[in-house]
Amino acid sequence: MQVADLTAELLRSAHPMREFSRRLTQDHKPVAVWTHTTGSLVGAESHLERDFITLADFHPAVRYIGGQPFTLAFQRGAPCKLHTPDLVLLGDGLPPLVVDVKNPEQAAQRKWRARAALVRGVLAEAGIGYEVWTGMPRLMQANLENFTEARVPEPSYRRWAPIAAELCTRPMPVVELVARVAARGYEPGFAMMLIRRMLWRRDLRTDMRLPFRPTSIVWTVNP
């Protein structure tokens, strides 16, 4: 199969090129990340890949996340013989985006830069984007992990999220918004969960550069 044959439909149905099972001899210990985007698990071979999957799951343009979707085979004399990208992202009306996840030290190595340039050029000819991701600020990662874990039944969310948004009349501390929602009859513990879920779904906003706490300031998309 040629790279040009890698359509979004084919990438969406592709199975990972390698198993994500754990073995004692592995340098990295694979994990499986449940994503809201796919409604299923996405395999990752490192915690850094897990972090990127969480970030991609949060991005509003991402509609599909796939792990190790294909392997590229290069001609003799190329900087590498085979290359299996870490992830592919698909969005509505957007070209596929292939991503390799490396820590900053790995990404700076001359051998890796040559490989990445080769992969980028081959994929570009097929209209496929390519990026190398090296991480995000720890606080942003912690906030995303906090928000993605918030679970609110959909009927409850449809009822109470508009009320919480209406009550958020200005940028305000989380505890104030929780109190306002609780005054309408929603249990305070559930109200905090609701706000975290609204932040994950981007119905509320907060400064992701700061640790999320009850005193954090939240606001609506159009305050």
Side-chain angles (χ1 to χ4, degrees):
M1 178 182 294
Q2 301 299 312
V3 178
D5 298 325
L6 292 174
T7 63
E9 292 75 16
L10 186 59
L11 289 169
R12 190 182 296 272
S13 62
H15 293 284
M17 297 301 296
R18 293 195 291 267
E19 294 182 358
F20 288 98
S21 57
R22 291 192 175 199
R23 301 178 182 85
L24 291 176
T25 57
Q26 288 173 301
D27 293 330
H28 298 292
K29 302 306 179 185
V31 295
V33 185
W34 190 92
T35 68
H36 302 270
T37 299
T38 64
S40 61
L41 296 171
V42 177
E45 287 191 318
S46 69
H47 291 296
L48 194 59
E49 286 184 28
R50 178 201 62 187
D51 296 343
F52 177 80
I53 290 171
T54 302
L55 179 62
D57 196 26
F58 179 69
H59 198 290
V62 176
R63 294 290 180 267
Y64 176 79
I65 306 168
Q68 299 189 355
F70 57 82
T71 296
L72 296 171
F74 297 97
Q75 296 179 351
R76 181 176 299 178
C80 61
K81 294 181 180 180
L82 301 171
H83 181 74
T84 303
D86 293 320
L87 296 149
V88 63
L89 308 181
L90 301 177
D92 295 337
L94 299 172
L97 177 63
V98 169
V99 179
D100 275 313
V101 176
K102 299 290 179 184
N103 64 46
E105 293 76 18
Q106 291 172 324
Q109 293 175 359
R110 180 180 301 178
K111 184 176 181 180
W112 167 254
R113 294 201 306 269
R115 174 183 285 229
L118 177 64
V119 173
R120 179 176 289 106
V122 169
L123 293 177
E125 292 180 1
I128 299 174
Y130 178 73
E131 294 292 340
V132 178
W133 190 80
T134 59
M136 60 180 161
R138 180 66 185 89
L139 282 175
M140 181 178 292
Q141 174 191 334
N143 287 338
L144 287 177
E145 291 172 352
N146 184 352
F147 301 155
T148 189
E149 293 171 355
R151 298 287 190 273
V152 178
E154 192 60 29
S156 183
Y157 191 88
R158 288 197 301 267
R159 177 184 176 187
W160 287 99
I163 294 174
E166 178 186 348
L167 294 173
C168 192
T169 54
R170 55 174 170 75
M172 65 179 61
V174 173
V175 288
E176 181 177 346
L177 184 55
V178 167
R180 290 188 175 198
V181 175
R184 289 285 190 95
Y186 203 48
E187 201 275 333
F190 293 158
M192 177 63 80
M193 185 75 72
L194 173 70
I195 290 169
R196 290 167 56 210
R197 181 64 174 160
M198 291 178 71
L199 288 163
W200 174 260
R201 294 181 62 162
R202 297 167 299 278
D203 291 329
L204 287 176
R205 302 292 174 86
T206 192
D207 190 340
M208 297 290 285
R209 298 168 298 179
L210 301 174
F212 181 75
R213 297 190 175 104
T215 54
S216 297
I217 303 300
V218 295
W219 60 89
T220 58
V221 177
N222 297 305

